[in-house]
Every structure is written in structure tokens, then in C-alpha cells.
Amino acid sequence: MNILHLDSAITADASVSRQLTADILARLTAANPDATVTYRDLSTGVPAIDTAWFKAVRVGTDDPTPQQQAQIDTSNALLAEVQAADTLVIGLPVYNFFLPSQLKTWLDQIARAGVSFRYTAEGPEGLLTGKRAFVAYTAAGTPMGSDLDHASGYLRHMLGFLGITDVTFVAADGLAMDREAGMARAQQALEQIAA
């Protein structure tokens, strides 16, 4: 088993999503002691895509400048980590009803036509198939699946768009109102994970 472990919370050791991704990872590696784990902390920054990125990475060039080559190399490295993994463990703390910007930027970097998805006569087709994802959803006041939650549905959609349709959420929500109950719900979901 090759696991890609992604954290995105900006709250360091106080992060509940980091605690939950660690718990998920512990369950997976206990059941699969030979598993390899690649870790990336997105909170340290992921370069945003822009016009220069588009010209370098999406349009491409036969003679990239050093800056363009750096953009290509970064995007390729992020995508290669996903391609090499069969299991993703993703921390999804909800900030202002949505994903952390670093997690959104990571998705922007890896969503590449012809590489991670392609357009067909029947519509887009994800190319990152054969993978599963476990998502640690945490929110102080945004119940997962509610009208306020614009994060979980978007992440599920984007993963599916890229071909990752086996997605399991472990949610600790409503933490500001009743932390104990939110953590209990997450623990119950953790116990359902089949490693």
C-alpha cells in the first residue's frame, strides 16, 4: 500500500484534522505494516496557479525558462505523488465554509487536462483511477452536508472528477458547540474504516 498523507490546517498542534489524519494513518499502517507513506504539509504553501503557470504547465514550451521549469517541476512532483499512491489521507479543516486555500491550490496544480483527466465525447474522464481517499473533515460550526458546507461536496466532486470515487469522510463537526459530541462522531466513523 502506498499512502499519500496531506494535511492543510494552519493551526499546527491544535488542529483536530491533523489529529484525525494521524488516527486514520495509524489504522491503515497497523493493518498494512509494509505500507509506504509520503507526507506533505500543504499549510507550508503551495504555489498558486496564474498566467505564467498556465503558459508553462498547461500550454507547454519546448524551451522553458528556469522559472517555467520550476513551475513545471513543482506541478509534476505534486501530481506524481498522487499517481504513485493507492490511498490518500486528506485533512479538510473548514475555513469560512470552504477548503483551506492551500488545499484548493493543490487541486488546481494536479487537475491537468490530458494527465489527470481528459475530455471525451461523453464528457470529462478522470485518469487517477484505482485509488481511495479518506478525508478528515473538521469544522467549528459548519455541519458536514449542511447548506453551509461548501467544502466536503466540492472536494468529493474534484476527487471524482480526477477519477477517485471511493471517498470516505471522517467528520468532527460542530466542535465549537459540543466538542465532545463532534469528536465522538469522528471516533465512531474511524472505527468503521476498513483498512
Side-chain angles (χ1 to χ4, degrees):
M1 176 184 287
N2 296 317
I3 303 170
L4 176 58
H5 176 189
L6 301 169
D7 279 324
S8 58
I10 61 173
T11 50
D13 292 342
S15 166
V16 175
S17 70
R18 287 176 187 270
Q19 175 187 331
L20 289 179
T21 61
D23 291 344
I24 294 167
L25 189 66
R27 289 184 64 84
L28 295 174
T29 55
N32 302 275
D34 294 332
T36 61
V37 179
T38 300
Y39 179 72
R40 185 172 287 274
D41 186 349
L42 301 177
S43 75
T44 62
V46 179
I49 63 170
D50 57 14
T51 301
W53 180 92
F54 179 79
K55 289 179 179 176
V57 178
R58 291 290 293 273
V59 175
T61 175
D62 293 332
D63 187 24
T65 66
Q67 179 186 7
Q68 288 174 323
Q69 190 61 57
Q71 291 173 312
I72 294 165
D73 291 346
T74 296
S75 186
N76 285 347
L78 293 169
L79 185 53
E81 289 175 349
V82 182
Q83 291 169 324
D86 48 60
T87 302
L88 285 73
V89 178
I90 304 172
L92 173 57
V94 176
Y95 299 150
N96 301 317
F97 314 105
F98 198 59
L99 319 177
S101 59
Q102 299 90 340
L103 183 53
K104 170 64 168 69
T105 301
W106 175 80
L107 289 165
D108 291 340
Q109 286 278 0
I110 68 168
R112 290 171 49 189
V115 184
S116 56
F117 72 94
R118 67 183 172 194
Y119 295 109
T120 72
E122 291 77 37
E125 176 187 1
L127 301 176
L128 301 178
T129 57
K131 305 175 189 303
R132 62 182 177 164
F134 295 96
V135 179
Y137 175 100
T138 60
T142 305
M144 190 175 120
S146 71
D147 289 345
L148 299 175
D149 169 21
H150 302 286
S152 66
Y154 176 79
L155 183 58
R156 183 187 294 277
H157 171 78
M158 280 302 300
L159 291 172
F161 176 76
L162 299 174
I164 305 170
T165 56
D166 183 354
V167 182
T168 300
F169 282 85
V170 174
D173 52 9
L175 296 173
M177 284 73 81
D178 190 340
R179 184 180 182 88
E180 187 175 324
M183 294 304 292
R185 285 190 297 274
Q187 186 59 43
Q188 193 172 37
L190 275 171
E191 290 169 3
Q192 302 303 311
I193 289 178

